[in-house]
Amino acid sequence: MITARHLKVFYEVCKHMNMTKASRELYISQPAVSKTIHDIEEEYKIKLFERWNKALYLTPDGAMLFEYAEQVVNMLDVIDKQLQSRKFKDLVRVGASITVGTSILGDIVAGYCAQNDAVRIEAVVDNTAVIEEYLLQGKLDLAIMEGRITSLDIKSNPIGSSDIVLVVNCLHELYARENVVVEDLEGLDFIVREKGSRTRESFAMAMEQHNVKWNAAWSCHNTQAIKNAVDAGLGVGVLSRLSVRKRLASGRFRALDVFEKPLKQHMRIAFCQGRYMSQSTRDFMDYTIKQIEIILNEKNS
């Protein structure tokens, strides 16, 4: 019968497609790795790998087993982390793309942990592509994302949307001007996300449709950097309303509503299909959905 050890060895070989590298990762000899693979093949009368030009390739049976091995190894990793974590708290690994991670994730995690002291949250904040890859690798249990999700192995559910807003502070020439229109933005300096960002793409498309030229004076991977630059009066910031809602409410920033149809940033909660999800992860997901709904309703109230 196949064991967790068999699956771990097989999984590491698949990761590296090299038995020597797998043996180093596992701190066992290369012959021991080869024997483990041979034992699985003998037990089930299958072939897991083909060799071609000194390289390993998965057979169809090997590819099928890898899908199961990946899930088992990831689950064992979760169990190990939970048992070794302080006070044996349940562990929930959460990912968030930049806007969510820098604007509302902290409040959501703090609120949840205040009500659930037996749960520990680990968070990763990065761009959508990185968070998607971490989900696929089993490094995250779920994620809250705004960008496009490309993998068919990831299931995502819509949880709301926030406007993309153009903001200035009191040092900017447009802050006190009444009835700002899109033509007033011609040639101005803008502080935007990096190329490839969904927020930037939506804004750039809207400006192109109105035939308005603009200058990307700052290109930032971090929304906090954008807010700091706007605070310094260095240009017009392009951000999710979520990330500047407190500054807008206090009057520190002003939103320039120049587009007839608001630019939208859609949020989704995502997780890998078919992968085990603990009850704590499910509870945190439900809590997150409710909290985001409350935050979005605050904006409209």
Side-chain angles (χ1 to χ4, degrees), residues 90-108:
D90 285 342
L91 175 65
V92 179
R93 304 168 301 169
V94 181
S97 46
I98 301 294
T99 296
V100 171
T102 55
S103 58
I104 60 174
L105 182 63
D107 291 340
I108 291 172

Side-chain angles (χ1 to χ4, degrees), residues 16-35:
H16 302 285
M17 281 300 168
N18 184 294
M19 292 194 183
T20 301
K21 289 182 179 179
S23 70
R24 291 172 185 162
E25 186 76 21
L26 294 165
Y27 299 100
I28 60 177
S29 67
Q30 192 271 334
V33 172
S34 299
K35 183 179 185 306

